[in-house]
Amino acid sequence: MKILLTGGAGYIGSYVAYLLNKLGYEVAIFDNLENGHKWALKNNKFYFGDIRNFSQILEALSDFRPDAIMHFAAYIKVEESTKSPYKYYENNVIGSLNLIKAALMSNVRYFIFSSTAAVYGIPKQVPISEDSMCNPINPYGESKLMVEKILKDIARSNFLKFGILRYFNVAGADIEAKLGQANKNPTHLITRVLRAALGKIPYIEIFGTDYPTEDGTCVRDYIHIKDLAFAHIEVLNYIKKEDKSEIFNVGYGKGYSVKEIIKVAKKITKVDFPVKIGKRRPGDPPKLIADPKKLLSLTNWEPKHNNIETIIKDAWEWECYLNKNPILLEY
Ligand code: UFG
């Protein structure tokens, strides 16, 4: 089976590509390398291009002729999306629309879409199931929900089947595969905490301690990249086997607060890095925890790395590796 991955040079896409390679799929990557890295492409066939450029996508699809597309390419920063909404709608919505159109023109049958827990906004109750109300509170979540709606309408009147994965907080790395998140200016909590432990940033700031949670800091469901990657394959298997489109939450169903993450990170790194209390970050819901029942019951996915210490330990090994090989941040 041939699969084309947009954003396959990025953190999640490159790891899914690695897994697909291991499982014997034929892979091609379409990426503009704005946030991705050349080294993360490994030996995969590569199309340099931008999803905002329709002819570049159509050319890649006409040449590679994939059976399925996995669409990772997107802007993903919640706070940035509140400051630059146009940028998010243009890349995430118009880019996806271009890709879907090219997919239909190229007779691609299966479409796996990276969505997000941010589509739920501030959920009425946690854990959150897939049929909870979607009411995003930032343009990032809104842009992903718009694409979900487009996919639903298009799948109703076409042969295309989609699998939508609503990711919760992805973290961790795979040091053996030499793949992980490599960002010069990371915004994600676990990466920033580990950079503070390495002394790369002077301190970690907690964005708000007045949330309606147990310790007042935001709670998230952190999922290991290794488990997240497998979910893509199991969802693809499911939509193929059942010939059906479906939406899945991808998380473990357990949440950790910002303060708890900091505590675990201090234990793993054995560094007592400075922590400051700051103001709330715009666009942050207090608590996001997945109800993963649907993924667990309908597909063969099973979590294997659902331990916060493992996630942070693997992320730490990767950050130490990056620290020794800073060139990886450059290309
Ligand atoms: N945080 C801090 N200090 C930091 C960085 C983050 O306190 O230096 C806090 C944030 O305010 C938030 C929590 O840590 O409460 C997690 O923040 P991240 O930036 O790591 O992740 P988000 O929850 O904002 O967003 C991530 C993905 C989104 C996805 C969401 C789903 O980036 O794409 O998880 O849960 F939608």
Side-chain angles (χ1 to χ4, degrees):
M1 191 175 189
K2 289 166 84 171
I3 306 187
L4 181 127
L5 286 72
T6 71
Y11 169 48
I12 299 173
S14 65
Y15 196 70
V16 175
Y18 163 80
L19 191 59
L20 290 167
N21 288 153
K22 280 223 297 199
L23 296 170
Y25 291 86
E26 201 180 327
V27 170
I29 287 169
F30 182 93
D31 201 298
N32 67 1
L33 297 179
E34 188 184 330
N35 291 310
H37 296 280
K38 272 199 180 132
W39 50 261
L41 296 167
K42 306 267 183 188
N43 291 322
N44 288 302
K45 190 175 175 74
F46 176 50
Y47 296 96
F48 178 76
D50 195 298
I51 53 172
R52 287 161 291 199
N53 184 326
F54 178 71
S55 58
Q56 286 180 342
I57 307 170
L58 190 62
E59 249 169 63
L61 293 183
S62 309
D63 183 61
F64 186 59
R65 304 228 139 270
D67 305 289
I69 290 175
M70 293 190 178
H71 178 30
F72 299 96
Y75 290 136
I76 59 158
K77 292 177 182 167
V78 171
E79 187 180 17
E80 185 189 49
S81 80
T82 64
K83 292 180 178 146
S84 312
Y86 186 86
K87 177 177 168 178
Y88 276 70
Y89 290 120
E90 185 181 42
N91 192 39
N92 296 5
V93 182
I94 299 179
S96 298
L97 199 56
N98 280 336
L99 180 65
I100 296 165
K101 182 177 171 190
L104 292 173
M105 287 169 68
S106 316
N107 294 317
V108 177
R109 197 162 172 76
Y110 306 109
F111 195 99
I112 300 293
F113 178 58
S114 301
S115 188
T116 169
V119 297
Y120 295 114
I122 299 174
K124 287 221 169 65
Q125 63 184 62
V126 289
I128 312 165
S129 66
E130 290 81 354
D131 50 19
S132 305
M133 214 199 359
C134 289
N135 196 6
I137 59 164
N138 50 61
Y140 166 66
E142 197 72 73
S143 72
K144 290 285 182 175
L145 186 60
M146 284 180 186
V147 179
E148 289 196 8
K149 288 181 178 164
I150 292 168
L151 277 172
K152 279 188 200 162
D153 285 344
I154 286 180
R156 242 175 244 134
S157 57
N158 278 286
F159 52 84
L160 188 107
K161 299 286 177 237
F162 66 76
I164 292 173
L165 282 77
R166 290 181 178 156
Y167 304 162
F168 283 67
N169 287 55
V170 189
D174 185 340
I175 196 72
E176 273 170 41
K178 299 227 168 1
L179 287 170
Q181 191 157 35
N183 199 323
K184 263 192 196 168
N185 298 303
T187 59
H188 287 122
L189 178 67
I190 292 184
T191 309
R192 288 187 65 79
V193 161
L194 299 175
R195 296 266 169 106
L198 281 169
K200 296 275 162 193
I201 56 172
Y203 58 87
I204 187 82
E205 182 175 342
I206 300 181
F207 298 141
T209 51
D210 57 349
Y211 283 98
T213 58
E214 287 74 2
D215 66 16
T217 66
C218 286
V219 170
R220 296 288 183 272
D221 185 342
Y222 295 90
I223 174 167
H224 201 298
I225 179 83
K226 291 181 179 175
D227 283 331
L228 178 90
F230 263 105
H232 292 77
I233 287 143
E234 296 303 347
V235 168
L236 176 61
N237 287 341
Y238 175 82
I239 64 168
K240 259 175 70 190
K241 193 169 120 250
E242 301 294 326
D243 199 34
K244 199 172 166 209
S245 297
E246 205 60 78
I247 301 181
F248 295 96
N249 280 339
V250 193
Y252 292 140
K254 190 164 167 41
Y256 293 91
S257 72
V258 175
K259 282 187 177 166
E260 286 173 318
I261 295 295
I262 292 172
K263 195 170 164 209
V264 177
K266 285 192 172 182
K267 182 180 155 202
I268 304 260
T269 61
K270 303 190 178 68
V271 181
D272 188 16
F273 50 84
V275 177
K276 290 193 182 174
I277 307 292
K279 286 205 294 268
R280 287 184 177 199
R281 191 176 65 172
D284 273 345
K287 209 174 205 182
L288 290 173
I289 301 173
D291 175 349
K293 259 193 236 93
K294 187 170 171 187
L295 185 66
L296 286 166
S297 61
L298 294 186
T299 76
N300 290 325
W301 182 76
E302 40 176 343
K304 296 203 169 98
H305 309 276
N306 47 344
N307 176 308
I308 197 65
E309 295 206 1
T310 309
I311 293 174
I312 294 179
K313 186 178 85 31
D314 289 358
W316 177 234
E317 279 182 3
W318 172 253
E319 283 301 326
C320 294
Y321 173 74
L322 268 187
N323 194 34
K324 281 194 207 121
N325 300 280
I327 186 79
L328 294 175
L329 294 169
E330 305 297 336
Y331 75 101

